[in-house]
Amino acid sequence: MTTVDLLAPAKVNLCLHVTGQRSDGYHLLDSIVMFADLGDRIALAPAPAMALTVTGPRAAGVPDDARNLCWKAADRYGRAVSITLDKHLPAAAGIGGGSSDAAAVLRGLERMTGRPPAFDPLALGADVPVCMLGRAARMTGIGEGVEPLDLPPLPAVLVNPGIEVPTPSVFRALPSKHNPPLDPIPEGAAPGVLIDWLATQRNDLEPPARAQAPVIGAVLAALAPARLARMSGSGATCFGLCDSLTDAQALADAIQAAHPGWWVAAVTLS
Ligand SMILES: C[C@](O)(CO)[C@H](O)COP(=O)(O)OP(=O)(O)OC[C@H]1O[C@@H](n2ccc(N)nc2=O)[C@H](O)[C@@H]1O
Ligand SMILES: Nc1ncnc2c1ncn2[C@@H]1O[C@H](COP(=O)(O)OP(=O)(O)OP(=O)(O)O)[C@@H](O)[C@H]1O
């Protein structure tokens, strides 16, 4: 076994329709997911026993024991390993921090051993299967349906106002659990066409998340100069799609200057 380093990229739900609910309470989703060129960094090294060190600017409050999804992923895989998790993404933020970390650990272990996981990654979280793919995809079912999509790279600004929004309470507060699925997706279209189409789709979790964290409204207002501003996942992180990375960086700088306490990043989604 050799040592491996991986990026665990931020996951962004460009749109997210809740189309039903299973008898076990989990919700059926129809969502387009893309990944940023920014995320947590994970280093794996062979070790006689499981070990986890959490470092980085967003390490505060992240568990460094068996509660961490990285640890759970390696444990389920059945391989003791030393993990260094360099945390850059805010937690409980709707950009899949923990899920992307878990998926990166599984991909890293597969690279180290040549053996894919012998269990269903969905067991670690609904976002883990799409994070295993790590590129533009349509997510269906409760997260087990993952179908790659041909979408252009999109410059974007990500903004999190520093409020943790717990995913279960947002799902619980949904007024309607049976909403229409996505319209036919314009695969292969130019960015402008995709953005115009996205403007006609929804994130059904946005109204209940905004009711619990009204600051999401302020984040979307700050992102208004973008071509399209929406919330990701169950919030509170929102994204603004821009025409160029230069535009995205300029908007990110302006938002950061006006809100020094917010987490702001200019990225490319793919
Ligand atoms: C909101 C999304 O981020 C959209 O990509 C995901 O659906 C959530 O993914 P996740 O955080 O990996 O989700 P999990 O850790 O599996 O579930 C957290 C909680 O969210 C709710 N949950 C999650 C996924 C789903 N399809 N239906 C749900 O109702 C459940 O209450 C669950 O207990
Ligand atoms: N590797 C990890 N990184 C961050 N948080 C983790 C990790 N492992 C476990 N946790 C715990 O999980 C909670 C949710 O964090 P996470 O970033 O996975 O959720 P999320 O942003 O809600 O994801 P989603 O986009 O799927 O809604 C945190 O409050 C934290 O205590």
Side-chain angles (χ1 to χ4, degrees), residues 4 9 19 30 48 58 64 102 121 123 134 157 170 187 246 248 264:
V4 295
T19 58
D30 195 1
R58 306 295 303 201
D64 62 356
V157 181
V170 175
E187 274 196 271
T246 310
V264 183

mmCIF file of all heavy atoms in Angstrom, residues 4 9 19 30 48 58 64 102 121 123 134 157 170 187 246 248 264:
data_model
loop_
_atom_site.group_PDB
_atom_site.id
_atom_site.type_symbol
_atom_site.label_atom_id
_atom_site.label_comp_id
_atom_site.label_asym_id
_atom_site.label_seq_id
_atom_site.Cartn_x
_atom_site.Cartn_y
_atom_site.Cartn_z
ATOM 1 N N VAL A 4 -1.746 8.125 -0.397
ATOM 2 C CA VAL A 4 -2.452 8.877 -1.441
ATOM 3 C C VAL A 4 -3.005 10.187 -0.885
ATOM 4 O O VAL A 4 -3.352 10.275 0.294
ATOM 5 C CB VAL A 4 -3.613 8.076 -2.098
ATOM 6 C CG1 VAL A 4 -3.116 6.884 -2.847
ATOM 7 C CG2 VAL A 4 -4.655 7.673 -1.082
ATOM 8 N N PRO A 9 -14.080 17.441 -3.152
ATOM 9 C CA PRO A 9 -14.616 18.725 -3.616
ATOM 10 C C PRO A 9 -15.975 19.056 -3.021
ATOM 11 O O PRO A 9 -16.751 18.162 -2.672
ATOM 12 C CB PRO A 9 -14.721 18.527 -5.135
ATOM 13 C CG PRO A 9 -14.874 17.067 -5.330
ATOM 14 C CD PRO A 9 -14.097 16.405 -4.219
ATOM 15 N N THR A 19 -39.584 14.749 -4.931
ATOM 16 C CA THR A 19 -40.688 14.194 -5.725
ATOM 17 C C THR A 19 -41.529 13.168 -4.974
ATOM 18 O O THR A 19 -42.521 12.679 -5.507
ATOM 19 C CB THR A 19 -40.144 13.535 -7.019
ATOM 20 O OG1 THR A 19 -39.215 12.506 -6.636
ATOM 21 C CG2 THR A 19 -39.422 14.555 -7.886
ATOM 22 N N ASP A 30 -34.834 14.580 -7.205
ATOM 23 C CA ASP A 30 -34.416 14.687 -8.605
ATOM 24 C C ASP A 30 -33.554 15.940 -8.644
ATOM 25 O O ASP A 30 -34.071 17.053 -8.502
ATOM 26 C CB ASP A 30 -35.640 14.807 -9.511
ATOM 27 C CG ASP A 30 -35.302 14.552 -10.966
ATOM 28 O OD1 ASP A 30 -34.118 14.268 -11.260
ATOM 29 O OD2 ASP A 30 -36.209 14.633 -11.823
ATOM 30 N N PRO A 48 -1.172 0.665 11.350
ATOM 31 C CA PRO A 48 -1.596 -0.555 12.041
ATOM 32 C C PRO A 48 -2.971 -0.405 12.689
ATOM 33 O O PRO A 48 -3.673 -1.402 12.898
ATOM 34 C CB PRO A 48 -0.521 -0.747 13.120
ATOM 35 C CG PRO A 48 0.125 0.589 13.284
ATOM 36 C CD PRO A 48 -0.027 1.322 11.994
ATOM 37 N N ARG A 58 -11.186 25.142 8.613
ATOM 38 C CA ARG A 58 -12.554 24.823 9.049
ATOM 39 C C ARG A 58 -12.571 23.582 9.933
ATOM 40 O O ARG A 58 -13.563 22.853 9.973
ATOM 41 C CB ARG A 58 -13.468 24.591 7.831
ATOM 42 C CG ARG A 58 -13.483 25.700 6.824
ATOM 43 C CD ARG A 58 -14.047 27.002 7.335
ATOM 44 N NE ARG A 58 -15.397 26.893 7.856
ATOM 45 C CZ ARG A 58 -16.238 27.917 7.986
ATOM 46 N NH1 ARG A 58 -15.865 29.136 7.609
ATOM 47 N NH2 ARG A 58 -17.434 27.750 8.490
ATOM 48 N N ASP A 64 -12.983 14.227 15.440
ATOM 49 C CA ASP A 64 -11.753 13.567 14.966
ATOM 50 C C ASP A 64 -11.704 12.131 15.480
ATOM 51 O O ASP A 64 -10.645 11.595 15.775
ATOM 52 C CB ASP A 64 -10.505 14.353 15.379
ATOM 53 C CG ASP A 64 -10.357 14.437 16.892
ATOM 54 O OD1 ASP A 64 -11.261 13.945 17.603
ATOM 55 O OD2 ASP A 64 -9.350 14.990 17.355
ATOM 56 N N ALA A 102 -16.025 11.317 2.866
ATOM 57 C CA ALA A 102 -16.198 9.849 2.927
ATOM 58 C C ALA A 102 -15.935 9.229 1.559
ATOM 59 O O ALA A 102 -15.248 8.204 1.446
ATOM 60 C CB ALA A 102 -17.611 9.507 3.401
ATOM 61 N N PRO A 121 -22.024 2.400 -0.866
ATOM 62 C CA PRO A 121 -21.644 3.691 -0.266
ATOM 63 C C PRO A 121 -22.840 4.511 0.226
ATOM 64 O O PRO A 121 -22.704 5.378 1.075
ATOM 65 C CB PRO A 121 -20.921 4.418 -1.398
ATOM 66 C CG PRO A 121 -20.529 3.362 -2.361
ATOM 67 C CD PRO A 121 -21.520 2.255 -2.232
ATOM 68 N N ALA A 123 -24.933 3.636 2.198
ATOM 69 C CA ALA A 123 -25.093 3.380 3.632
ATOM 70 C C ALA A 123 -24.404 4.460 4.474
ATOM 71 O O ALA A 123 -24.738 4.649 5.646
ATOM 72 C CB ALA A 123 -24.526 2.003 3.975
ATOM 73 N N GLY A 134 -18.126 12.187 -8.523
ATOM 74 C CA GLY A 134 -17.313 13.410 -8.460
ATOM 75 C C GLY A 134 -17.354 14.284 -9.692
ATOM 76 O O GLY A 134 -16.459 15.100 -9.894
ATOM 77 N N VAL A 157 -19.791 31.587 -7.602
ATOM 78 C CA VAL A 157 -19.400 32.066 -6.270
ATOM 79 C C VAL A 157 -20.183 31.252 -5.251
ATOM 80 O O VAL A 157 -21.406 31.079 -5.395
ATOM 81 C CB VAL A 157 -19.742 33.562 -6.095
ATOM 82 C CG1 VAL A 157 -19.302 34.046 -4.728
ATOM 83 C CG2 VAL A 157 -19.104 34.400 -7.191
ATOM 84 N N VAL A 170 -34.839 20.441 7.882
ATOM 85 C CA VAL A 170 -35.303 21.086 6.655
ATOM 86 C C VAL A 170 -36.253 20.151 5.905
ATOM 87 O O VAL A 170 -37.331 20.554 5.463
ATOM 88 C CB VAL A 170 -34.106 21.492 5.766
ATOM 89 C CG1 VAL A 170 -34.580 22.046 4.428
ATOM 90 C CG2 VAL A 170 -33.244 22.525 6.484
ATOM 91 N N GLU A 187 -28.787 18.758 -21.959
ATOM 92 C CA GLU A 187 -27.384 18.274 -21.984
ATOM 93 C C GLU A 187 -26.693 18.789 -23.239
ATOM 94 O O GLU A 187 -27.306 18.855 -24.306
ATOM 95 C CB GLU A 187 -27.374 16.755 -21.975
ATOM 96 C CG GLU A 187 -27.428 16.185 -20.585
ATOM 97 C CD GLU A 187 -27.022 14.720 -20.585
ATOM 98 O OE1 GLU A 187 -27.928 13.890 -20.759
ATOM 99 O OE2 GLU A 187 -25.836 14.429 -20.417
ATOM 100 N N THR A 246 -13.403 35.521 -13.894
ATOM 101 C CA THR A 246 -13.059 36.908 -13.516
ATOM 102 C C THR A 246 -14.268 37.576 -12.856
ATOM 103 O O THR A 246 -14.150 38.213 -11.802
ATOM 104 C CB THR A 246 -12.626 37.714 -14.767
ATOM 105 O OG1 THR A 246 -11.636 36.953 -15.452
ATOM 106 C CG2 THR A 246 -12.072 39.062 -14.384
ATOM 107 N N ALA A 248 -16.740 36.036 -11.416
ATOM 108 C CA ALA A 248 -16.996 35.325 -10.160
ATOM 109 C C ALA A 248 -16.059 35.830 -9.062
ATOM 110 O O ALA A 248 -16.475 36.072 -7.920
ATOM 111 C CB ALA A 248 -16.832 33.815 -10.358
ATOM 112 N N VAL A 264 -16.657 32.783 1.636
ATOM 113 C CA VAL A 264 -16.930 33.146 0.239
ATOM 114 C C VAL A 264 -15.822 32.571 -0.646
ATOM 115 O O VAL A 264 -14.638 32.682 -0.293
ATOM 116 C CB VAL A 264 -16.955 34.683 0.067
ATOM 117 C CG1 VAL A 264 -17.303 35.067 -1.366
ATOM 118 C CG2 VAL A 264 -17.944 35.329 1.042
#
